[in-house]
Amino acid sequence: MFSCLKESILCPVFFLLPSAGMAIQGILIVTSRRHEAPSFYNGIVLFLHWNTMNKLPDIKTEFAQWYQEVIYQAELVDESPVRGTMIIRPYGCSIWEIITQILDKRIKQTGHENAIFPLFIPESFIKREAKHIEGFAPELAIVTHAGGKELEEPLVVRPTSETIIHYMFARWIKSWRDLPLKINQWCNVVRWEMRPRPFIRTTEFFWQEGHTAHATLQEAEQEAHMMMNEYVKLAQNYLAIPVISGEKTPTERFPGAEKTLTFEAVMQDGKALQMGTSHLLSQKFAESFEIKFQDKDGTLAMPFLASWGVNTRLIGAVVMTHGDQKGLVMPPRIAPIQVIIIPILKKDQDNSAVLQAAESMKINLEAVDFRVRIDADETKTPGSKFFKWEMKGVPVRIEIGPRDL
């Protein structure tokens, strides 16, 4: 880039402007030959390249602030006009899509089918299971008016779907031949959050929730453990997060569950983050919704139920586990862009050969299933591009210029 400056000294410079919360970096060129660099004094200075960038808070001493800044600067989310909710931007959405594709494949391979249930649940359904309503009451959003008039029965905006799914189970399950029944749903849910934090705790979040019914307690318990194992494999093999799995204490159980399994990880600030749960539910759910079937002996019995789920908190876990002072660090298997190619373009020159080489490299990498992008923006300097893609945590950066051809 600086081959024309044969007798010059290149000095990187860095200025911090605390009042503006900004940092500026550039290249200071010191030359002894006046005609090579216009200056105010006899052959002294020229700032050739500036790159303004938002400096992240110190990850070691201001971890919470660092997290808040990096998810916005990396364009994972943006603020929503509705308190407690978030806008997941395309880059963040791509991460979630990759995670859902991986997990959805395993959900289906383990014998589950996807279904879609209503966003609104009759309030009476929630009240059928006492412990369930007791646990969720402070978090419920309730619709009392619609169509210009008051509703006969208020509708709860889905905080989780156990109640409405179990209502349908009662209609679908009549015989032991109907079991096991294994349903999964990908959806959004609403739990009113007083202290929101994007991806970690929000009033609305996106998740999958699995709900199953079994003829025996042993089968239901095996289901809960099987899906917990699937979650652990997802975390360790794809998110590259070491986790600890185990059983929650009675006071921390899911409302209405007899056993709650969890997998958690320790973030860089030393705090544990719950990443997902799997539950063996009380038969009171089956009793409340009158789910009954005729067993092999012709006796009327109630099924044993399980439920399990993970949500967009997984993205927050990835950010807090792997991020560094430069931004995100994306595990390659879930990175939306695994390779970024940056052509080093010369101003006022023919760059077609460089761009052709970059495109050829992209085609070759995509042929072996890498997710690749070329940043050929001529309005941005290479330095600003490096900063951008480091902030987004792209695993591999390839720079290609005229000298590489």
Side-chain angles (χ1 to χ4, degrees):
M1 184 174 180
F2 305 108
S3 58
C4 62
L5 305 175
K6 293 181 181 178
E7 296 185 22
S8 303
I9 301 171
L10 273 61
C11 308
V13 294
F14 185 87
F15 296 96
L16 180 62
L17 307 178
S19 59
M22 301 284 286
I24 300 177
Q25 68 176 9
I27 299 295
L28 172 65
I29 301 174
V30 181
T31 176
S32 60
R33 301 169 67 176
R34 183 173 182 174
H35 68 274
E36 286 189 351
S39 63
F40 293 109
Y41 303 101
N42 185 21
I44 304 296
V45 297
L46 165 72
F47 280 97
L48 178 68
H49 164 64
W50 291 98
N51 176 33
T52 58
M53 58 182 179
N54 289 324
K55 185 175 183 297
L56 292 172
D58 191 319
I59 191 172
K60 293 181 179 179
T61 60
E62 301 174 288
F63 187 76
Q65 293 86 344
W66 171 88
Y67 176 80
Q68 286 293 121
E69 283 291 323
V70 76
I71 58 175
Y72 286 102
Q73 287 198 41
E75 299 181 339
L76 296 181
V77 295
D78 207 343
E79 294 179 348
S80 163
V82 180
R83 186 189 178 280
T85 65
M86 61 181 173
I87 309 296
I88 302 180
R89 300 185 65 175
Y91 192 63
C93 195
S94 294
I95 297 170
W96 181 237
E97 285 174 347
I98 293 168
I99 292 173
T100 60
Q101 288 164 9
I102 295 165
L103 185 55
D104 192 62
K105 182 178 180 180
R106 286 302 300 153
I107 287 171
K108 290 171 180 173
Q109 287 175 343
T110 49
H112 305 83
E113 294 180 296
N114 284 335
I116 300 173
F117 294 85
L119 174 66
F120 300 111
I121 301 172
E123 187 180 40
S124 59
F125 282 23
I126 302 290
K127 291 180 177 179
R128 286 193 192 186
E129 216 294 311
K131 287 188 178 178
H132 196 62
I133 183 62
E134 182 184 348
F136 278 112
E139 301 176 350
L140 297 181
I142 301 174
V143 179
T144 58
H145 291 72
K149 60 182 181 180
E150 187 174 355
L151 298 176
E152 290 184 11
E153 179 181 0
L155 298 174
V156 174
V157 182
R158 163 180 68 207
T160 180
S161 300
E162 271 82 1
T163 56
I164 197 163
I165 290 177
H166 293 158
Y167 173 82
M168 297 310 300
F169 277 10
R171 298 177 61 174
W172 297 340
I173 300 170
K174 300 301 179 185
S175 164
W176 62 270
R177 295 180 181 87
D178 299 322
L179 298 173
L181 181 55
K182 298 177 151 189
I183 297 294
N184 179 67
Q185 174 175 224
W186 293 95
C187 64
N188 59 338
V189 294
V190 171
R191 298 178 186 176
W192 215 256
E193 179 57 52
M194 303 307 294
R195 291 184 291 275
R197 193 179 182 194
F199 294 120
I200 305 303
R201 283 190 173 277
T202 48
T203 293
E204 179 191 32
F205 56 87
F206 300 86
W207 77 342
Q208 61 73 213
E209 50 177 320
H211 300 273
T212 62
H214 307 266
T216 68
L217 174 62
Q218 182 182 14
E219 288 178 9
E221 202 157 6
Q222 286 174 347
E223 166 78 13
H225 282 280
M226 177 183 72
M227 293 315 299
M228 178 53 56
N229 290 336
E230 290 296 332
Y231 289 157
V232 169
K233 286 188 282 188
L234 171 71
Q236 294 181 340
N237 297 339
Y238 292 91
L239 311 186
I241 299 176
V243 297
I244 299 169
S245 61
E247 184 178 343
K248 286 280 193 182
T249 63
T251 56
E252 293 180 310
R253 285 177 189 158
F254 176 76
E258 291 200 349
K259 179 185 288 188
T260 290
L261 306 175
T262 181
F263 72 110
E264 305 184 4
V266 178
M267 303 295 100
Q268 292 186 53
D269 60 353
K271 296 178 182 177
L273 180 71
Q274 177 181 290
M275 295 172 61
T277 50
S278 183
H279 316 286
L280 176 65
L281 298 178
S282 164
Q283 273 200 309
K284 287 182 181 178
F285 274 103
E287 184 180 338
S288 298
F289 288 91
E290 300 180 347
I291 311 173
K292 299 175 182 177
F293 70 98
Q294 194 172 54
D295 65 18
K296 292 181 181 180
D297 298 325
T299 305
L300 210 57
M302 289 189 302
F304 294 86
L305 307 170
S307 68
W308 31 272
V310 292
N311 60 44
T312 39
R313 182 179 288 187
L314 295 179
I315 298 175
V318 168
V319 173
M320 291 195 288
T321 299
H322 301 299
D324 62 20
Q325 198 57 51
K326 292 184 178 181
L328 306 181
V329 176
M330 290 303 303
R333 299 183 82 174
I334 64 163
I337 303 167
Q338 295 169 315
V339 180
I340 182 69
I341 300 173
I342 300 180
I344 307 302
L345 306 176
K346 298 281 189 176
K347 191 175 181 180
D348 300 326
Q349 291 189 27
D350 183 5
N351 294 303
S352 57
V354 172
L355 292 171
Q356 269 186 340
E359 185 62 34
S360 176
M361 187 178 295
K362 179 176 182 285
I363 291 170
N364 290 335
L365 288 169
E366 288 179 335
V368 287
D369 295 327
F370 283 101
R371 295 184 285 272
V372 187
R373 183 175 297 182
I374 298 172
D375 188 343
D377 187 348
E378 295 185 7
T379 67
K380 299 288 194 304
T381 64
S384 63
K385 293 178 184 180
F386 299 161
F387 172 77
K388 172 184 177 179
W389 297 111
E390 283 180 352
M391 181 65 70
K392 288 178 174 285
V394 176
V396 176
R397 182 177 80 214
I398 298 174
E399 303 161 25
I400 182 167
R403 294 182 180 180
D404 302 308
L405 303 182

